[in-house]
Amino acid sequence: MKKIKKHIIHIMILHLILSTPVYSQAQELFFKAAGTPVNPKVQVSWNKYYTPSGVEDFCKKLASAYPGLVTLESIGKSYQGRDIYTLTISDKSSGKPDHKPAFWIDGNIHSVELQGTEMAMYTAWYLCEMYADNVFIKQLLADKTFYITPTINPDSREYFTSTGMPPRSGLMPYDTDRDGLFDEDGHDDLNGDGNISQMRRKKTGGDYREDIKDPRRMVRVEPGETGEYEILGTEGFDNDGDGLIDEDGPGGYDGNRDWGFNWEPNYVQNGAHKYPFSQPENQAVRDFIVNHRNITGAQSFHNYGGLILKGPSIEGGGAEVYSREDEEIMNTIGKTGEKMIPGYKLITIWKDMYTVYGGELDWWHGAMGCYVWSNELWNSYLMFYDESNTDSYQFDKLLLFEDSFISWQKVNHPVYGEVEIGGFSKNVGRLHPGFLLESDAHRNAAFCIYNAYQSPKLEIQDIKVRKLSGNLNEVTATLHNSRMLPTHSATNLKYKIDPPDYIFLEGGTVIAGMIVEDVERNICVEQKKNPHRMEIQNIKGYQKINLKWIVKGGNKYTVSVESVKGGRATAVSK
């Protein structure tokens, strides 16, 4: 009996220990750092890259942990049948997410540009984990919505993280060398390490030698010097016997030359496929966006360069060319981005980089009327925060302890005989090293949050009722957009992409409705048709619009605004 009692006591003590709240344990173990969740519900390490399974696991955990904020859905399938997951993040208790101004984020449309996914995931995680304790984030999610698609290209992400070096594209078979065969001559991983490295071969009188200071580095010999190596290119051999090496690997098209705006065929724009939106991944994104017209702005993460890209992508291209007002908005936000993300520069694609036909940015602005960005992640400045020192060998040696370099090793090549394979691994060069990934993720997430904050915020203010004769009342109100972005970009207005903004008055029979252009002189412009539903073509950033109605009957009136991209707001007279 005593043994039984003793056993019961032990069980009770164990139960008390296990039931102690995790948060109280966290309080004992951690001290909050500014701007960071101290005890997140979803524990994530931001110093590594996630496989498609890891991305899916993260999305499901976040949706499960925050059902009041997060909705997870698959918006379509990749070519190989993988889900393309999208997170909708907003405070559901404050209104329908699709009725709020929204910001879209995607990443990894190009397979080798992995970290766009981590930037998107970090933004989603940060919004949810900071919601409870941060006043700014709480109000932001009450007002706005985020649609976040971590990877548009899960097939090639799987290939990159498990098999080898994929193309920029997805994995839909493609005849790159136009010989009637598909994907028949890709890279060959001769040493089976999952990387496609450089090949060198001993050759007296070759053009290269090892660097005396760092033998990992191959340097071209000076005139008069005798070299000892020749560089043979990347790992591989001629699989299809056409005299070319690695010229037709998996895929081969470019997902960012596939969008249905300013599109050109492959002979004009290399990487374009047969027709716009020829790839299922982009079709899925397009269909979601077309059905979510509340999106005001977007960010598509790419790499490399440390750039904040804005359109247009071609010179004098048409609808995607920004008006003076829109250009001012883009420059103001972009210059703020330069402050937020040190080492990143704001540039215009066609003017400062190169021409892109059928790019995602121009489609967003030209076809959907949105303000859109593409941040090119990571650059060599971030290695030492010094533009004059961008030596990747030194960075690898001093800060990564040679973890990113594959030592030269001998293998037997079927054509070249004995060669040596080595060089930097595929997880550096274009990709952040782990210890710098979270820092850049936070800064890029903050830039997205700043963009979302500047989307329209509409408020009905100062409703006044003045009695007139004949059972009539004069009702006046002010509609205020307190943020930088208008409800319609210039392109949106020019091509009537979205309907006007509507201001409704309820509570009586509306006899007349008008916009007051000059309050002091009582200069008004009457809307003779449907005066109970005033039409405003555009509500500019920081603009106030004064309205007036003559109403028969009633003594309490409701004024509300409905805007596709500006959201909704309501106020009631006293």
Side-chain angles (χ1 to χ4, degrees), residues 453-454 456-459 480-484 541-543:
Y453 174 81
Q454 292 296 354
K457 183 171 183 179
L458 305 182
E459 299 169 288
H480 182 210
N481 179 5
S482 60
R483 300 292 159 76
M484 188 187 304
Y542 307 122
Q543 184 182 18

Side-chain angles (χ1 to χ4, degrees), residues 395-414:
F395 178 73
D396 177 54
K397 190 169 187 176
L398 294 176
L399 287 153
L400 305 181
F401 312 104
E402 302 188 20
D403 185 54
S404 68
F405 193 87
I406 301 168
S407 298
W408 295 102
Q409 52 188 293
K410 294 179 181 180
V411 300
N412 189 49
H413 190 278

Side-chain angles (χ1 to χ4, degrees), residues 101-103 293-298 369-372 451-452 455-456 485-486 565-566:
F103 192 78
R293 307 299 285 266
N294 57 315
I295 298 173
T296 63
C370 298
Y371 297 87
V372 58
N451 272 273
S455 64
L485 265 61
K565 286 182 166 55

